[in-house]
Amino acid sequence: MAAAGGSPSIVEYFGGEDGYRCGYCKNETGNLSHGMWAHSMTVQDYQDLIDRGWRRSGKYVYKPIMNQTCCPQYTIRCQALCFQTSKSHKKVLKKMLKFLSKGDVSKVVSEEEPMDSHIEDVVACDFAYKSESQVSQSELTPLSVDHTEGVESEDKDTGETKEEVNVQKVESDSLQICADKDTPVPGEPSCLAKTVHAPPKPGKGADLSKPPCRKAKDIRKERKLQKLLQNQKCASEGSPLQAGDQVFLLQNSKSKPNQPKTIEDFVFVSLPDDAPHKLEVRLVPVSFEDPQFKSSFNQSATLFAKYQMAIHKDTPSDCGENEFTRFLCDSPLEAEHAPNGPECGYGSFHQQYWLDGKIIAVGVIDILPYCVSSVYLYYDPDYSFLSLGVYSALREIAFTRQLHEKAPDLCFYYMGFYIHSCPKMRYKGQYRPSDLLCPETYVWTPIEQCLPLLERSKYCRFNQDVKAVDEGRVKELGRVRVLHKRTVMPYSVYKKRRKGPSDEASVQQYASLVGQTCSERMLLFRS
């Protein structure tokens, strides 16, 4: 999709050789990632980046060094259009429905799901603080076309045209994604989460590599039915089935028209007029120019601080308004509306859950050309009994399906990172069908095919075609777009102008990580 006349993405690449503390295994220097500061970013560029394993935390965009980091983080996506609720998911939906319609409060928090949110990813926030850009806004504003005309004459040998040098509209080839093709989900890390991940209790949690458990009663019934079907021919040989067996066979041989309930069946049900509680979900653009966002900011920031201190044991200074704004309100994504896009447009949003007139949870999401990407969730700990992490994930899947009706290309729900080496993070694989992103070829692979590989090694190449390569890899480094002294130019021109030691190795690394397409659309800032 095109950028609808918007400005191009502008990024500063920081590399990523230094290690940081891992929020999963607590290794002090084991968390390794590449990072860049996004001064601005189009939704199409970010969509393409997360499909190459990148993720954002505020305006900092990072990509784990998968074959070196202590806990590899695989982008995971759920095929929202095909999603089926599990038994535990239905329990959460029913629990909310009973609470709203009757005021019922569950006394015991379910042990089947994590206490925290579905976007519980932990990322040390030190790198974001250390890597924040110090470049002034004036340096990031490209000059008019007239100032770039002279650039092309410097690079006649490369055949660069004036149009390639000037700032152009950000466009990308239409990406055709079919629901029946292998395509997984990206995820969202939070740089503020500091949860201590205790190992699961023995016997708790599903083994995703095995088929789901079944009740013994159902197994016995199935065996009896099979036996009766096999013996049915006895009737023609003068040994008719007993009356009870005939009834059993008749009842179980009939087709069952009842379809399993969907999320929508639980979420959009009409409540009685005398229902004790009312839940309203509001989608608010992340912009201080938006009246709803501005009017609810203080209440939302206060809830964030309450959540962080109770769940992640932050100090008040760790989760003040500045920190809240920095990580959950500052977004590099440029808001965008397209004719074939959702009515709300693309960009960053807060999905606020209002219960009886007050906010009890906020899901931070990015709406992109092909997905809803979950960024973070914070909620009122007083309502932990409602399993708001799971409930909000299910609501976001339903929201994705709702957006798909107006925007046919938007059909995936990116849940964050799947971390198999951290048992507490494996629950994301229970949202089926889902896929994981191959860290080498960037193709989506059904999670069922990935789990056996991850049991053998924490780092895996999921694409089993040994000849397959990264189709989006950089082929021409000279075509990387650079912003230097407010002038847009190809790297081949900048390389000739540059004074001092060569930066080719750094630019090569950047281009290989973002891919050829993004490297030719985004502007890489060079001082």
Side-chain angles (χ1 to χ4, degrees), residues 175-188:
L175 176 60
Q176 300 297 326
I177 300 182
C178 299
D180 58 345
K181 291 186 178 179
D182 293 344
T183 13
V185 194
E188 76 358 75

Side-chain angles (χ1 to χ4, degrees), residues 1 44 47-48 51 77 172-178 183 369-370 409 412 414 444:
M1 60 178 284
Q44 183 63 61
Q47 174 74 67
D48 290 346
D51 284 337
R77 85 180 179 189
S172 69
D173 295 331
S174 176
L175 176 60
Q176 300 297 326
I177 300 182
C178 299
T183 13
Y370 310 118
D409 288 339
F412 297 102
Y414 284 50
W444 296 103

Side-chain angles (χ1 to χ4, degrees), residues 92-93 96 117-119 351 353 361-363 365 374 376-379 386-399 413 431:
V92 171
L93 294 170
M96 176 63 81
S117 71
H118 59 290
I119 32 89
Q351 203 162 40
Y353 294 76
V362 177
I365 60 174
S374 180
Y376 198 62
L377 174 86
Y378 54 98
Y379 56 83
L386 289 175
S387 304
L388 291 171
V390 179
Y391 182 77
S392 65
L394 296 172
R395 287 293 299 241
E396 287 170 9
I397 291 174
F399 181 56
Y413 175 59
Y431 294 82

Side-chain angles (χ1 to χ4, degrees), residues 14 25 31 57-58 70 120 122 140 160 196 317 324 334 339 370 373 386 394 397 501:
F14 294 136
C25 69
N31 184 8
S57 176
C70 53
E120 189 181 41
V122 181
L140 299 168
E160 296 286 350
V196 176
S317 61
F324 171 65
E334 300 288 342
Y370 310 118
S373 176
L386 289 175
L394 296 172
I397 291 174

Side-chain angles (χ1 to χ4, degrees), residues 89-106 261-272 274-279 355 385-388 391 394-395:
H89 293 154
K90 289 177 182 177
K91 283 184 179 179
V92 171
L93 294 170
K94 290 176 181 177
K95 180 165 55 177
M96 176 63 81
L97 198 55
K98 287 182 180 179
F99 173 74
L100 296 176
S101 60
K102 301 178 181 179
D104 288 357
V105 176
S106 298
K261 284 192 174 183
T262 65
I263 307 174
E264 292 80 2
D265 292 331
F266 292 98
V267 167
F268 300 118
V269 64
S270 297
L271 296 176
D274 60 348
H277 299 292
K278 178 183 178 183
L279 178 68
L355 179 68
F385 62 89
L386 289 175
S387 304
L388 291 171
Y391 182 77
L394 296 172
R395 287 293 299 241

